[in-house]
Amino acid sequence: MAEHNETGAFGEEEAVAYLRKKNFKIRDTNWQFGKDEVDIVAEDGDWLVFVEVKTRKNNNYGEPQEFVTKKKQRHLIRAANAYVERKDIYMEIRFDIIAVTLQPEMRIEHLEGAFGA
């Protein structure tokens, strides 16, 4: 596995652990719809939450959440719509970003409702 893939996988594992500590119910990880993928699908009370995890070794080139582009958001929204339709879910939905920075020390930032559909 390429180093950037390992970094991303590590960040996603840390994000799942973080959400579980906050009492989120994890429904799916790495859920795919065509070429689109949602890193984490979780429940937070009455909300169905689609989470994009961005992991960076450091913030030399910007904060991780800055790399969730409008194009990426459109892909996530499309995948979320397919998820809700295929699983026949009737819940309010929310899009969160979890930003993981590894150096100089690991930091996790959770941006709830980071963008809308």
Side-chain angles (χ1 to χ4, degrees):
M1 183 182 294
E3 185 177 349
H4 70 279
N5 290 337
E6 290 175 4
T7 300
F10 176 80
E12 289 175 14
E13 289 170 11
E14 291 296 316
V16 166
Y18 171 87
L19 290 172
R20 283 192 171 125
K21 285 180 188 172
K22 290 183 69 175
N23 295 318
F24 280 60
K25 177 186 172 195
I26 305 301
R27 292 180 63 113
D28 282 296
T29 57
N30 303 111
W31 190 83
Q32 294 188 335
F33 173 69
K35 293 183 179 181
D36 300 330
E37 180 179 1
V38 178
D39 294 329
I40 303 169
V41 182
E43 291 180 28
D44 179 22
D46 295 333
W47 291 93
L48 182 65
V49 184
F50 295 89
V51 182
E52 174 66 10
V53 180
K54 281 296 179 191
T55 306
R56 294 288 181 264
K57 286 187 180 183
N58 55 55
N59 62 0
N60 291 349
Y61 299 103
E63 296 295 327
Q65 62 269 24
E66 295 172 9
F67 295 90
V68 182
T69 64
K70 292 289 184 193
K71 181 179 179 181
K72 179 63 175 176
Q73 291 174 22
R74 285 192 304 271
H75 290 275
L76 290 167
I77 291 165
R78 183 170 51 213
N81 286 333
Y83 187 92
V84 168
E85 186 176 303
R86 288 183 178 188
K87 305 268 185 177
D88 199 29
I89 297 172
Y90 297 94
M91 296 175 75
E92 292 290 325
I93 65 168
R94 187 175 80 212
F95 295 92
D96 292 3
I97 298 172
I98 294 187
V100 181
T101 307
L102 302 178
Q103 297 171 359
E105 60 187 45
M106 191 171 78
R107 180 176 55 117
I108 296 176
E109 185 176 359
H110 183 187
L111 297 108
E112 294 186 17
F115 59 92

